[in-house]
């Protein structure tokens, strides 16, 4: 131990001697503080070798910076590193003068002094200095001035600051300190608010502070709202050639509103004839210049800021102009002896007030000519055309803005009209696969043409229909040939039309017509008109399905009573579009479908709505095909109890009754099985389940349903159903208990009898002993004899109390045997 201490001392002396010899001065690191933007001097402690000044080089190094930030040597220009140009200089022998201190200047600095007239391996002088730059906080990242949110959303406000000392971040809401909570998380760089409610709306202030100062940033959290039109466009009337301005002012949060304008439902940017004359300003104003008559119509302004549904408002533009003639036929024919009309094709806004007529360049007053009437559209009606009405006519319309001019000359020629010589019958009734011939002949000058057509617009059967001399013949009649046919007699003078009905017997019915649908929330009532029945009584089948869901299956309902032309379909989904069509049929088979009619059921008021009823007025639970609307809360306090008839699952209604519960479903499964459903359960909060397998563990849960939605499941309840082995063991235990009880009872009786016998035996022995004592043999002193066998004479029964006398006698006589 003494040797070890001696060695340590020798080493210590050697190190100290080397330090003195080398001129190294050991010093502790220094700490210097400077304010941001001020000047600071970083000291450097060193000593010359042997106390004699020699040439030297000063080098300042900053920690984590590879290149020296400042190098000085007498007689040479100093070198300053990047970022230190013009700010670093030498103060005194080796101190560093640093001006305009920055936050980045903070850190460790090392001063190194090299002596040039010493060997390269001579030690260096120098010291370490730590510079603290005191800086007030300033934001590295701060939240926006305004944040728009929706109720139920989450929002994150970022707030990060730097400074020396490191700033502390704190938050306030509406000038009150904000504390963390389950919905509010505060970290060093952000504030997060989850599931924002109305109470979370307000002004949030982020404050960054240290001892040098503090800064703050205010953010307004505002409930975002869709764009709403505050000043809608107004109906207006303008003259053609003028200009119009439609105002459409709107407000929104946020206020990034987009305006779109439509003309009669079409975006005006898609209308080339209007796009070149229209302009939409940023504030939504629509400007059109110059106006034309075609610009009249409905203009719709639509505003949106990306939140909610766009808001819209419409106004009607009426472009007014003088009355004008749009078309003037060169020649018009009127039928002699018939009524005829001389038309003046007029366009005007506002409507024309009157029309001036001229005939053969002279004024023509209809009121002054008997049999000539002015119609509401300005045309002239000649009740019975004669050759006097021939001539050259012109019309000039007027309205409040005057007239745009007179029509061209229209020459009226009176000619004999065509006429029917032979007409078809009113009705033709023929069986299927037969032939029908319908005549039609006419005359006139010029000779009229005869054309056959179907009144419903369908084409005549090309291969089976023949027209010769005006007669129509249809061969091989089919079901589709049924209908009304028209014969048209036409020339330049007039057009005459006559019609006939063709009934094709022995066919399936034709398609019903005029199908209409009236809906409520859960049902739809269809009405229709019957078509031709093929000469047999017809019935109907309703086909319906969900619309706009691809190829979905049709459902069918037979209409009763048979022959009825109205029916109500029940158990439909609210606010859902359906497709309906009616199929007719008779004894020969199915007819044709009616055209498909679409109709949407009405929205159901789940708060105050009435449950649907069927044709008998009884309420029913509709089938939910697409859950929608608010959901009821889950049932509470589910319990499972074993009863005499099975297991009873009971529960309590949801705590929140805002959404009414229509019915419940109970679901159960074993540990490794699938969920099975039981229900629906109405007007009850319990369910008896009797078919449980013994020895299994069951999981139960309950769902609450509204008319259109299903809520969350209740918490699961676990129940263990007893098995046969358990029941057998329990029965054996009961039987063993009963048998054991009986045996115990028998043993107790036997023991009781034995005890009684033993006690009686003991009593009898005591009595016999006492008897012997009384009846013991007495020595007859008179005879001088002693008998051990008892008295030779029988002892008679003594009266009560004599036993004591004999006992006393025996005692006095010393009788040994008693």
């Amino acid at each position: 131990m003494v040797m070890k201490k001696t060695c340590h001392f020798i080493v210590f002396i050697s190190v100290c001697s080397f330090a003195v010899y080398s001129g190294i001065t050991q010093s502790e690191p220094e700490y210097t503080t400077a304010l941001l933007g001020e000047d600071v001097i970083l000291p450097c402690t060193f000593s010359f070798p042997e106390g004699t000044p020699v040439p030297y080089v000063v080098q300042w190094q900053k920690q984590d910076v590879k290149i020296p930030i400042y190098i000085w040597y007498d007689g040479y220009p100093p070198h300053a590193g990047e970022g230190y140009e013009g700010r670093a200089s030498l103060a005194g022998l080796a101190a560093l003068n640093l001006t305009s201190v920055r936050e980045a200047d903070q850190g460790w600095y090392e001063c190194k002094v090299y002596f040039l007239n010493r060997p390269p391996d001579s030690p260096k002088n120098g010291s370490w200095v730590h510079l603290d730059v005191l800086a007030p906080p300033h934001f590295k990242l701060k939240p926006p001035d305004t944040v728009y949110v929706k109720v139920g959303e989450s929002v994150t406000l970022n707030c990060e600051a730097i400074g020396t000392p490191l700033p502390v971040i704190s938050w306030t809401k509406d000038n009150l300190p904000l504390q963390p909570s389950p919905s509010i998380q505060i970290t060093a760089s952000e504030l997060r608010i989850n599931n924002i409610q109305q109470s979370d709306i307000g002004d949030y202030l982020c404050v960054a502070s240290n001892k040098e100062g503090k800064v703050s940033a205010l953010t307004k959290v505002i409930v975002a709202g869709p764009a709403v039109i505050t000043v809608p466009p107004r109906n207006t009337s303008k003259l053609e050639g003028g200009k119009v301005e439609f105002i459409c002012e709107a407000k929104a949060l946020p206020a990034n509103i987009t305006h779109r304008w439509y003309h009669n439902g079409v975006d005006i940017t898609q209308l080339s004839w209007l796009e070149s004359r229209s302009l939409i300003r940023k504030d939504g104003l629509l400007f059109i210049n110059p106006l034309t008559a075609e610009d009249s119509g409905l203009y719709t302004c639509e505003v949106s800021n990306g939140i909610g549904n766009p808001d819209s408002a419409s106004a009607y533009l009426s472009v007014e102009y003088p009355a004008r003639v749009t078309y003037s036929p060169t020649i018009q024919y009127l039928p002699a002896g018939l009524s005829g009309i001389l038309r003046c094709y007029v366009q005007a806004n506002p409507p024309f007030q009157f029309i001036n007529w001229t005939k053969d360049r002279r004024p023509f007053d209809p009121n002054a000519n008997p049999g000539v009437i002015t119609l509401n559209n300005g045309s002239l009606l000649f009740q019975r055309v004669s050759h006097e009405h021939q001539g050259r006519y012109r019309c000039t319309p007027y309205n409040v803005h005057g007239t745009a001019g007179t029509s061209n000359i229209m020459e009226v020629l009176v000619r004999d009209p065509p006429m029917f010589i032979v007409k078809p019958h009113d009705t033709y009734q023929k069986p299927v696969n037969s032939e029908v011939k319908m005549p039609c002949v006419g005359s006139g000058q010029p000779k009229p043409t005869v054309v056959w057509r179907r009144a419903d617009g369908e084409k005549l059967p090309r291969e089976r229909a023949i027209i010769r001399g005006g007669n129509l013949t249809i061969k091989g009649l089919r079901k589709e040939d049924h209908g009304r046919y028209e014969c048209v007699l036409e020339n330049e003078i007039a057009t005459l039309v006559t019609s006939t009905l063709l009934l094709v017997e022995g066919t399936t019915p034709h398609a019903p017509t005029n199908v209409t649908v009236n809906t409520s929330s859960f049902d739809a009532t269809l009405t229709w008109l019957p078509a031709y029945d093929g000469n047999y009584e017809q019935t109907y089948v309703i086909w319906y399905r969900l619309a706009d869901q691809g190829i979905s299956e049709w459902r069918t309902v037979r209409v009763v009573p048979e022959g009825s032309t109205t029916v109500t379909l029940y158990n439909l989904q609210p606010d859902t579009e359906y497709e309906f069509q009616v199929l007719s049929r008779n004894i020969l088979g199915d007819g044709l479908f009616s055209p498909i009619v679409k109709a949407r059921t009405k929205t159901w008021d789940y708060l105050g709505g009435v449950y649907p009823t069927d044709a008998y007025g009884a309420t029913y639970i509709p089938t939910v095909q697409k859950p929608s609307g608010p959901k009821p809360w889950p049932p509470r306090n589910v319990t499972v109890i074993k009863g005499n008839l099975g297991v009873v699952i009971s529960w309590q209604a949801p705590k929140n009754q805002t959404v009414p519960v229509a019915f419940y479903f109970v679901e159960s499964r074993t540990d490794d099985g699938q969920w099975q459903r039981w229900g629906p359960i109405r007007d009850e909060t319990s369910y008896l389940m009797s078919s449980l397998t013994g020895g299994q563990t069951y999981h139960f849960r309950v769902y609450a349903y509204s008319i259109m939605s299903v809520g969350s499941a209740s918490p699961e309840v676990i129940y263990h159903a007893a098995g046969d082995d358990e029941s057998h063991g329990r029965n054996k235990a009961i039987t063993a208990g009963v048998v054991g009880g009986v045996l115990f009872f028998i043993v107790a009786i036997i023991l009781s009898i034995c005890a009684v016998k033993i006690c009686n035996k003991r009593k009898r022995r005591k009595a016999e002993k006492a008897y012997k004592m009384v009846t013991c043999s007495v020595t007859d002193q008179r005879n001088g004899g002693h008998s051990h066998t008892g008295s030779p004479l029988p002892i008679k029964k003594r009266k009560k109390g004599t036993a004591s006398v004999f006992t006393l006698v025996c005692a006095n006589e010393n009788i040994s045997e008693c």
Side-chain angles (χ1 to χ4, degrees), residues 84-359:
Y84 292 89
E85 301 91 339
R87 298 195 304 124
S89 61
L90 201 65
L93 294 177
L96 180 66
N97 181 24
L98 193 59
T99 62
S100 300
V101 173
R102 305 171 183 174
E103 271 190 270
D105 295 337
Q106 181 169 286
W108 282 99
Y109 292 82
E110 182 184 13
C111 169
K112 298 179 180 179
V113 179
Y114 299 90
F115 303 112
L116 299 181
N117 59 352
R118 290 293 184 269
D121 57 349
S122 62
K124 301 180 292 295
N125 261 314
S127 60
W128 283 91
V129 181
H130 187 273
L131 174 62
D132 283 323
V133 179
L134 300 181
H138 61 275
F139 286 112
K140 180 180 179 181
L141 182 65
K142 67 178 182 178
D145 297 335
T146 306
V147 175
Y148 298 95
V149 297
K150 293 181 182 179
V151 173
E153 289 184 341
S154 298
V155 66
T156 299
L157 303 180
N158 295 305
C159 186
E160 189 174 354
I162 55 177
T164 306
L166 186 65
V168 176
I169 302 293
S170 61
W171 289 88
T172 64
K173 176 184 177 293
D174 297 333
N175 298 323
L176 296 177
L178 189 63
Q179 300 297 331
S181 69
S183 62
I184 297 177
Q185 289 90 42
I186 301 177
T187 66
S189 60
E190 69 178 25
L191 165 66
R192 181 173 178 82
I193 308 173
N194 298 316
N195 190 20
I196 284 184
Q197 303 299 315
Q198 197 66 36
S199 58
D200 296 322
I201 304 305
D203 295 340
Y204 288 82
L205 187 68
C206 174
V207 180
S209 59
N210 62 11
K211 66 180 182 179
E212 299 300 321
K214 66 179 181 179
V215 290
S216 60
L218 179 65
T219 299
K220 291 182 176 293
V221 177
I222 302 173
V223 174
V228 178
I229 295 176
T230 56
V231 181
R234 304 295 182 185
N235 295 339
T236 185
S237 296
K238 296 291 183 179
L239 281 174
E240 189 175 28
K243 62 181 180 181
V244 68
E245 293 181 352
F246 279 119
I247 297 175
C248 184
E249 295 183 2
K251 290 184 178 180
L253 288 175
N256 54 330
I257 302 174
T258 301
H259 294 78
R260 299 184 69 179
W261 280 93
Y262 299 86
H263 176 257
N264 293 333
V266 180
D267 195 326
I268 63 173
T269 60
Q270 305 299 320
L271 302 174
S272 57
W273 54 269
L274 182 59
E275 182 181 12
S276 60
R277 295 180 290 109
S278 62
L279 174 66
I280 302 176
R281 297 196 322 202
K282 291 184 178 180
D283 59 358
L285 184 140
L286 172 63
F287 180 77
I288 303 176
N289 183 36
L291 290 171
T292 65
E294 292 75 16
D295 295 336
S296 294
L298 187 67
Y299 287 82
T300 301
C301 172
E302 183 181 272
V303 297
S304 174
N305 66 340
I307 297 176
N309 296 322
D311 192 18
S312 62
S314 300
Y316 192 84
L317 171 63
S318 176
V319 180
E320 298 183 353
Y321 47 88
R324 57 195 179 194
V325 178
T326 59
Y327 172 63
S328 299
T330 304
I331 298 176
Q332 292 195 42
Y333 291 94
L334 296 181
L338 300 178
S339 62
I341 296 177
L342 176 59
R343 302 184 184 279
C344 183
Y345 297 91
V346 178
Q347 187 179 38
N349 188 23
F352 71 90
Q353 295 174 323
F354 59 91
I355 295 178
N356 286 339
W357 286 90
T358 63
K359 178 185 178 185

Side-chain angles (χ1 to χ4, degrees), residues 35-47:
L35 293 177
L36 184 68
E38 293 185 348
D39 301 341
V40 66
I41 294 179
L42 304 182
C44 180
T45 304
F46 80 98
S47 58

Side-chain angles (χ1 to χ4, degrees), residues 736-783:
V738 173
V739 173
V742 173
L743 292 176
F744 177 77
F745 182 71
I746 294 172
V747 171
I749 293 175
I750 293 173
L751 292 176
S752 298
I753 294 173
C754 292
V756 171
K757 288 185 176 181
I758 293 172
C759 291
N760 291 339
K761 189 174 183 180
R762 288 180 179 178
K763 288 181 180 180
R764 189 167 57 252
R765 287 177 178 176
K766 288 183 180 181
E768 289 178 353
K769 193 173 183 179
Y771 177 78
K772 288 181 178 181
M773 291 177 65
V774 174
T775 59
C776 63
S777 56
V778 180
T779 303
D780 189 0
Q781 297 294 334
R782 290 178 299 175
N783 296 329

Side-chain angles (χ1 to χ4, degrees), residues 512-518 523-529 539-545 553-561 563-570 572 578-585 590 592-597 599:
T513 60
N514 295 356
V515 179
T516 60
V517 183
N518 292 321
D523 56 65
T525 300
L526 282 74
T527 59
W528 60 92
L529 294 179
T539 59
Y540 304 97
V541 178
I542 307 300
W543 289 55
Y544 70 100
R545 67 178 179 181
E553 294 184 359
W554 288 94
R555 300 182 180 182
T556 60
V557 174
R558 187 169 59 90
V559 177
V560 290
S564 176
T565 57
T566 181
V567 69
T568 300
L569 305 177
Y570 299 96
L572 303 182
Y578 284 86
E579 293 179 342
F580 303 91
Q581 56 183 344
V582 184
L583 172 68
S584 59
R585 59 176 51 158
D590 290 343
L592 299 176
F593 283 101
S594 69
I596 294 177
V597 177

